[in-house]
Amino acid sequence: MRAHEAGALHAEGYRGPAWLQTPVDVNALVPSLWASSVDRGDDGVLSVGGVSVTELAAEFGTPAYVIDEDDFRSRARAFKQTYAEVFDSLSGGADVYYAGKAFLCTEVARWVRDEGLHLDVCTGGELAVAKRAGVPGERIGFHGNNKTVAEIRDALDHGVGRIVVDSLEEIDRVAAVAGQLGVVAPVLVRVTVGVEAHTHEFIATAHEDQKFGLSLSGGHAFEAARRILDQPDTLRLLGLHSHIGSQIFDTAGFEVSARRIVGLHTRIARELGVELPELDLGGGFGIAYTTEHDPLPPRHLAAGMAEIIERECRADGVAVPRISIEPGRAIAGPTTFTLYEVGTVKPVDLDGGAQRVYVSVDGGMSDNVRTALYDANYSCTLASRASEAEPVLARVVGRHCESGDIVVKDEFLPADIGAGDLLAVPGTGAYCRSLSSQYNHTPRPPVVAVRDGVARVIVRRETIDDLLALDV
């Protein structure tokens, strides 16, 4: 069938994307989208950790990010325990680095520390949070494609366990700072292996045109290893690092990347005489934002990756090195929902006789820019009551002066949704608060952690005074 020139929204009878089905019960929750303690009571009100959203809204206001602390901790533990169990029998074991860029604050860094995970930071600011939370230096990895001299010095002063070098120039920079401090800097080489994996597709060529890493095919990664090994007084090469994408739902993309990164590992052993002790496989593990997503649990991911690594190392005749991974979204994402209050509700006629209801909330792209930035899909539900009204196709939009200020592109909501209702959007724990802004001079929402019937603020709401504080 020929596509409509103006796009799918204007095709006859548009009823949303193919994966979005009209719900039998508009009040039903899809468990895979929500933190483990989220439930809907007989009155239709959502609760998390034993606290209702109406209580949360009354005490903390809206919009607000609401995080289930036990859910976060259990996901962190699952990764740590699973990868340790799977890789302990193959090699020196495995380390799990929580990718702080997904979401980081002092309290979350403490959870990561307490659960025995390592922490991946990529700026001096993230390192400052880690230090404030008491994360031991040896459990911190420092990423970034353009680290400043001051950041490198701060990292080495704190005794970070690894610096992931991202360029030949940076090798010299780290070595110089290490020399000034009289320390030997532990480093990994970030390798661009020419593989990009997103969801169920991967492409194995022409993906080295990016700012991250050192090219494998161009020989830069091998040269980086050689230069580091030539400076043992200031640098210690721990191993190689590879990251192939985001929202990965299977291990297919690792087949090609593992073959290539293990091949480089083997070449370094044979030509430079050093079998490196570690191999970092990066992160990017996917989560369910909507019913179209079907992520693998950590055990299946670990088993699949272990099988691939073991096979490649055995084929090359090298020992399986100690493995590390960097989940961020897969730990933080599902733990959190954003709670909004509905304001304006506006029905809009589409071509072909279809209709969409625009539901405006008191937040928007300042607290979740991913829809506008990445064309990301989200789900949502009426959170403050039950409804017997029929489901209608809706679009949840924000209050900002941008037509692209969309929170949820397509969702079925009850036809009687109206001003004052509370709306919850799941899966907002990763890259929502981290990418938030003060667009239109909008104060950023608080982060409220809930556990065992107790809710507390772990990042306070910004105020108008905060917005004005930096003006001179």
Side-chain angles (χ1 to χ4, degrees):
M1 183 176 70
R2 184 169 179 267
H4 193 283
E5 290 85 347
L9 296 186
H10 303 280
E12 184 176 355
Y14 177 71
R15 292 296 182 271
W19 54 263
L20 181 63
Q21 302 298 309
T22 305
V24 175
D25 179 4
V26 75
N27 301 293
L29 297 178
V30 179
S32 62
L33 306 184
W34 299 88
S36 56
S37 74
V38 173
D39 190 25
R40 191 187 292 277
D42 293 338
D43 57 358
V45 178
L46 252 61
S47 64
V48 54
V51 182
S52 73
V53 296
T54 51
E55 293 176 83
L56 293 171
E59 183 172 358
F60 304 108
T62 59
Y65 303 106
V66 182
I67 182 169
D68 180 339
E69 179 180 344
D70 280 337
D71 192 74
F72 185 103
R73 287 177 177 270
S74 66
R75 292 176 191 276
R77 274 196 305 274
F79 270 101
K80 183 180 188 300
Q81 293 171 358
T82 298
Y83 273 80
E85 291 169 5
V86 169
F87 281 96
D88 275 352
S89 61
L90 297 178
S91 65
D95 295 311
V96 176
Y97 282 76
Y98 172 67
K101 62 182 179 177
F103 171 61
L104 190 66
C105 66
T106 304
E107 184 65 6
V108 163
R110 291 190 185 114
W111 299 348
V112 169
R113 178 202 65 195
D114 293 346
E115 296 300 335
L117 276 68
H118 293 57
L119 179 61
D120 166 33
V121 303
C122 58
T123 66
E126 290 182 354
L127 178 59
V129 173
K131 290 165 65 176
R132 185 183 187 191
V135 180
E138 63 270 18
R139 282 166 53 187
I140 297 174
F142 194 15
H143 267 283
N145 68 300
N146 188 28
K147 308 174 194 71
T148 67
V149 170
E151 288 175 329
I152 294 168
R153 181 180 297 275
D154 191 18
L156 292 177
D157 268 337
H158 190 57
V160 298
R162 58 173 59 177
I163 294 178
V164 183
V165 295
D166 205 88
S167 65
L168 295 175
E169 179 183 4
E170 187 173 72
I171 293 170
D172 297 332
R173 190 176 302 148
V174 173
V177 175
Q180 294 166 7
L181 296 176
V183 300
V184 177
V187 299
L188 273 74
V189 174
R190 179 158 179 171
V191 182
T192 308
V193 293
V195 175
E196 181 180 40
H198 293 284
T199 64
H200 294 284
E201 298 178 358
F202 68 92
I203 302 172
T205 58
H207 287 283
E208 296 192 355
D209 185 12
Q210 57 165 298
K211 73 175 187 176
F212 291 112
L214 288 133
S215 167
L216 178 63
S217 63
H220 298 113
F222 181 81
E223 173 61 16
R226 188 193 63 76
R227 289 193 189 185
I228 294 167
L229 291 171
D230 281 347
Q231 303 179 68
D233 292 340
T234 53
L235 300 174
R236 177 163 57 97
L237 182 57
L238 297 177
L240 306 175
H241 177 285
S242 172
H243 176 76
I244 61 173
S246 60
Q247 272 295 82
I248 301 169
F249 292 118
D250 59 34
T251 57
F254 289 104
E255 293 276 357
V256 178
S257 67
R259 186 176 307 123
R260 295 182 177 187
I261 199 72
V262 171
L264 177 59
H265 175 89
T266 303
R267 184 186 174 195
I268 291 169
R270 291 175 180 168
E271 296 185 24
L272 301 179
V274 178
E275 196 162 314
L276 301 175
E278 298 186 31
L279 176 61
D280 191 318
L281 299 175
F285 313 120
I287 68 168
Y289 285 106
T290 69
T291 54
E292 69 178 317
H293 301 135
D294 186 22
L296 288 176
R299 181 162 297 281
H300 291 169
L301 282 170
M305 295 170 76
E307 180 183 356
I308 293 167
I309 293 296
E310 182 184 23
R311 184 176 63 244
E312 296 301 326
C313 287
R314 186 171 59 246
D316 281 4
V318 295
V320 176
R322 185 172 182 84
I323 297 298
S324 51
I325 58 166
E326 299 168 354
R329 182 199 319 264
I331 293 175
T335 68
T336 300
F337 63 84
T338 306
L339 188 64
Y340 299 101
E341 182 176 314
V342 174
T344 300
V345 177
K346 183 190 303 181
V348 175
D349 294 329
L350 307 177
D351 292 348
Q355 189 179 75
R356 191 203 306 278
V357 176
Y358 274 70
V359 178
S360 297
V361 294
D362 53 354
M365 65 190 302
S366 59
D367 59 73
N368 186 354
V369 75
R370 291 189 71 255
T371 307
L373 186 62
Y374 300 127
D375 198 30
N377 288 313
Y378 282 89
S379 178
C380 64
T381 192
L382 173 62
S384 52
R385 61 181 175 87
S387 174
E388 296 183 358
E390 66 179 30
V392 296
L393 185 64
R395 170 163 289 177
V396 179
V397 296
R399 62 195 296 269
H400 301 292
C401 293
E402 296 284 342
S403 58
D405 178 24
I406 300 169
V407 179
V408 180
K409 290 185 291 184
D410 293 286
E411 181 61 281
F412 284 99
L413 290 171
D416 62 352
I417 191 166
D421 283 332
L422 297 178
L423 198 72
V425 177
T428 57
Y431 303 106
C432 289
R433 181 58 172 81
S434 295
L435 288 169
S436 64
S437 72
Q438 297 173 339
Y439 182 52
N440 287 154
H441 274 59
T442 303
R444 282 176 285 206
V447 181
V448 180
V450 184
R451 187 182 192 186
D452 297 332
V454 177
R456 70 190 195 284
V457 172
I458 60 173
V459 179
R460 70 166 175 81
R461 183 183 300 279
E462 287 183 333
T463 65
I464 295 298
D465 286 342
D466 292 324
L467 295 180
L468 301 177
L470 297 181
D471 286 4
V472 177

